[in-house]
Amino acid sequence: MTDQIEIPETFPVPGAVTGKRVVITGASRGLGALLAHAFSRVGASVALVARTEKDLKAVAEALPGPSLVLSGDVTDEDFNEAVADATVTEWGGVDVWISNAGISPIVAGPRETAASIWRKVLEVNLTGAFLGARAAARVMGTGGRLIFTGSVLGERPRQGLTAYSTSKAGLAAMAKGLALDLAPAGITVNVVAPGWFDSPLAHAWRNSPELSAAVTGHTALGRWGAPEDLAGAYQFLASDASAFVTGAVLAVDGGYLLA
Ligand SMILES: NC(=O)c1ccc[n+]([C@@H]2O[C@H](COP(=O)([O-])OP(=O)(O)OC[C@H]3O[C@@H](n4cnc5c(N)ncnc54)[C@H](OP(=O)(O)O)[C@@H]3O)[C@@H](O)[C@H]2O)c1
């Protein structure tokens, strides 16, 4: 009898996603397109989801590996089910579903935020992710991975972004609830919460010297996120190395949440 831990023959390689079948929503530009390249480059098959088909096709054409283009609206329940069905038809199933589509259409206080805008933000950012998770869980086997793109603003709201921050805080709660609900099926559910990355959504901040400096000043590492900073967190959560990680929120923010 030894009191040493039993050392396994092999350890899963963190971030190894070769051969994984990965759905990425919001893949027509910005961070979703970035993730599509990162996953494709290391041998994953990717299904690109967003509303604008021509942009999805342009992303698909630039990828080194196999891809599917599935255009539609993540707020549409039937569309999410159709994406899940397409993964079964084309690939025989899906391993990873990244709900990344999101909007932030307004910076305004409560009186200036129309009820319709509030509803739209929650519908795309929160309900869209729920409908995707629901569709994915129907066709995913044990070992499946759901990953939501949250935001540091879900934990630390900023003035004028209450609807957005609420939607992202909701995603963190939803991931924890679904992690419990889907644990018996062997599916993990986690959130990646990016800090500030330049993308079409964030251009207004990046292009404003004051706002950009506020981001930099508030980020412990003193800079905006670079494109190569982000995908590793998703790849870790998608890989076999994260089998025991569920209900977690992984900030990739250069220490934005520390200050
Ligand atoms: N950039 C940052 O610094 C940052 C930081 C934290 C979190 N995030 C989050 O990261 C995610 C991606 O943001 P991004 O910066 O890459 O924004 P982006 O450049 O504006 O891209 C948003 C993506 O979502 C898609 N989309 C929007 N509404 C949709 C809908 N109803 N149905 C299907 N697809 C839809 C868009 O494509 P179509 O318009 O063609 O549908 C696009 O592909 C979002 O969830 C955002 O909240 C970003």
Side-chain angles (χ1 to χ4, degrees):
M1 188 73 174
T2 167
D3 61 359
Q4 292 285 7
I5 199 164
E6 190 182 329
I7 308 298
E9 288 291 317
T10 58
F11 293 90
V13 178
V17 294
T18 308
K20 301 265 187 211
R21 302 159 298 181
V22 184
V23 169
I24 305 172
T25 76
S28 62
R29 59 174 186 266
L31 305 187
L34 183 69
L35 293 174
H37 277 270
F39 275 81
S40 180
R41 209 171 285 185
V42 293
S45 298
V46 291
L48 310 177
V49 173
R51 291 166 302 178
T52 315
E53 187 168 25
K54 72 169 180 11
D55 293 348
L56 290 174
K57 284 184 170 161
V59 173
E61 276 163 24
L63 297 178
S67 60
L68 304 174
V69 164
L70 302 166
S71 57
D73 194 316
V74 295
T75 65
D76 178 344
E77 182 177 354
D78 291 342
F79 173 64
N80 281 288
E81 298 296 330
V83 171
D85 287 341
T87 67
V88 174
T89 306
E90 299 292 332
W91 295 337
V94 60
D95 303 303
V96 183
W97 188 298
I98 301 175
S99 284
N100 167 77
I103 57 170
S104 182
I106 191 170
V107 178
R111 295 302 310 169
E112 294 74 39
T113 301
S116 58
I117 296 280
W118 172 269
R119 289 197 183 100
K120 187 76 190 163
V121 171
L122 292 180
E123 174 115 21
V124 175
N125 295 5
L126 192 54
T127 307
F130 175 73
L131 295 176
R134 199 164 153 265
R138 175 171 62 83
V139 298
M140 248 176 196
T142 187
R145 301 279 198 268
L146 300 178
I147 306 172
F148 302 142
T149 299
S151 167
V152 288
L153 299 184
E155 188 170 329
R156 184 185 293 266
R158 281 182 73 98
Q159 206 173 8
L161 286 163
T162 299
Y164 181 81
S165 299
T166 303
S167 73
K168 296 299 186 178
L171 275 182
M174 190 167 86
K176 292 174 201 292
L178 289 177
L180 290 168
D181 290 339
L182 296 175
I187 296 170
T188 66
V189 191
N190 293 291
V191 177
V192 175
W196 295 79
F197 287 81
D198 196 6
S199 73
L201 184 110
H203 275 342
W205 277 268
R206 192 76 180 97
N207 293 338
S208 153
E210 301 85 57
L211 290 172
S212 182
V215 167
T216 308
H218 197 87
T219 301
L221 292 180
R223 62 174 176 83
W224 279 61
E228 55 273 35
D229 288 329
L230 189 65
Y234 288 85
Q235 290 174 336
F236 166 65
L237 292 172
S239 72
D240 296 347
S242 66
F244 205 51
V245 180
T246 195
V249 179
L250 175 50
V252 183
D253 68 346
Y256 184 84
L257 289 176
L258 297 177

